[in-house]
Amino acid sequence: MSAAPHLVQNDPPRGRYSMSRLEKAIVSMVEVFEGYATKDDKNRQLSVTELAELMKKELASPEFHGKVEPAVLQEAMTNLDKNHDGEINFREFSMFLATLARGYYRASNKGKGNKGKPDKPE
């Protein structure tokens, strides 16, 4: 049996693993959501105020804004509150992040064959 791809070569034999980049990204996504959603009594939802604070602080780098077009950000915002309850749950938040990730991916791959083309409808 081969070692897991994310097993660090110099780990002691007791099998300690380090998280892969994808695992770290998933944990980070959950931690960001929970960090902002727990600021009031509805700790499983983001209020409009919490979402505004999250976006101001967590989506602030020039590199990100240089890659994600305003239309992509607007699309993500439009699709946020799918159940129209005025709050953003984790499912809605994860779909929001997926839209931003697709926009970043498309912008990063423009001019590289068909990777810069819009996604096919789901």
Side-chain angles (χ1 to χ4, degrees):
M1 176 157 61
S2 64
H6 58 283
L7 179 65
V8 176
Q9 292 292 335
N10 295 329
D11 272 350
R14 57 182 191 254
R16 287 183 37 202
Y17 291 88
S18 66
M19 285 198 294
S20 69
R21 292 182 301 155
L22 183 56
E23 290 166 331
K24 288 176 185 177
I26 292 167
V27 169
S28 179
M29 183 174 102
V30 171
E31 288 174 347
V32 166
F33 179 82
E34 289 177 340
Y36 287 90
T38 58
K39 292 183 182 239
D40 62 17
D41 59 343
K42 290 187 173 186
N43 63 359
R44 299 218 182 254
Q45 307 275 341
L46 285 173
S47 68
V48 173
T49 304
E50 290 166 338
L51 179 64
E53 181 183 356
L54 180 152
M55 291 182 65
K56 182 179 178 183
K57 291 181 179 177
E58 303 293 337
L59 300 175
S61 78
E63 177 187 355
F64 183 82
H65 281 280
K67 296 261 178 156
V68 176
E69 297 173 12
V72 171
L73 192 53
Q74 183 59 45
E75 174 191 351
M77 292 297 294
T78 300
N79 293 327
L80 261 177
D81 189 13
K82 285 293 192 186
N83 63 0
H84 307 290
D85 66 352
E87 303 270 332
I88 308 305
N89 62 34
F90 186 75
R91 182 177 189 278
E92 293 165 332
F93 179 72
S94 62
M95 292 178 351
F96 168 72
L97 292 183
T99 301
L100 294 179
R102 280 192 307 270
Y104 185 88
Y105 176 80
R106 284 191 302 257
S108 295
N109 287 289
K110 279 191 176 176
K112 296 180 182 176
N114 65 351
K115 292 182 182 182
K117 291 182 181 176
D119 293 337
K120 292 180 182 178
E122 297 176 9

